[in-house]
Amino acid sequence: MQNWYNIFTDTKPHHLIITYSRATIQVYVDNLQNFSSLNLLELIPKNQRIFYYALTFIPLGFGLTILTVLAKRRLIFSNLFIFGGILIPSLILEGILVSESGKNLSLKSLLLGMLFPEGTMLILRARAAKLKMRN
């Protein structure tokens, strides 16, 4: 790759081609031999992955809590919401990440995606039960 970072400061016209495939962005400047690529899935540092999973899955836990409280009288629906709402989104996210990055399925990431909505739901349901006992 040649140094092409000065293309925005010089006065010559340039040809830019930007492609996106399987979570990788490639930028070509003036010819096919002068390119740079960036994998978007590698932008998240490994030590901050837990934060991003929490940011993604904690709101799901809030939604699951509301659904299970509303469906409390119908045990079948409540259990279906719990199991489906915890397992399916985590499987979908991992499937997308695996298909886009070409990496193998990570059991650790799958379990992490299941932990946050379940933990959020259990905490909120315990809090709701305490409030109900006070009243």
Side-chain angles (χ1 to χ4, degrees):
M1 182 185 97
Q2 299 172 6
N3 186 3
W4 49 267
Y5 297 107
N6 63 348
I7 65 169
F8 299 105
T9 58
D10 69 7
T11 57
K12 294 185 226 173
H14 294 279
H15 296 280
L16 293 175
I17 297 175
I18 301 172
T19 63
Y20 176 78
S21 175
R22 298 184 61 90
T24 300
I25 293 178
Q26 290 188 317
V27 179
Y28 298 90
V29 179
D30 292 330
N31 59 47
L32 295 177
Q33 290 74 33
N34 190 16
F35 75 94
S36 181
S37 64
L38 170 71
N39 187 334
L40 296 176
L41 295 176
E42 293 174 358
L43 291 177
I44 300 173
K46 290 189 185 274
N47 61 350
Q48 293 179 356
R49 187 164 290 171
I50 291 175
F51 171 73
Y52 288 102
Y53 272 84
L55 196 62
T56 303
F57 287 108
I58 286 176
L60 180 63
F62 279 102
L64 279 174
T65 304
I66 293 169
L67 287 174
T68 56
V69 167
L70 292 175
K72 183 172 58 172
R73 293 184 185 140
R74 296 185 175 152
L75 190 60
I76 294 172
F77 287 124
S78 181
N79 289 337
L80 182 66
F81 285 138
I82 291 171
F83 295 120
I86 291 172
L87 183 62
I88 292 172
S90 185
L91 283 173
I92 290 171
L93 179 66
E94 279 305 305
I96 291 170
L97 292 175
V98 166
S99 70
E100 291 298 316
S101 68
K103 296 180 180 178
N104 294 329
L105 183 68
S106 168
L107 183 61
K108 179 181 175 183
S109 296
L110 187 63
L111 291 174
L112 194 59
M114 293 167 61
L115 173 77
F116 282 110
E118 182 179 9
T120 304
M121 186 182 64
L122 291 175
I123 290 169
L124 291 175
R125 287 183 82 178
R127 295 278 300 175
K130 275 187 185 178
L131 290 174
K132 191 174 183 179
M133 291 174 94
R134 286 184 188 172
N135 295 334

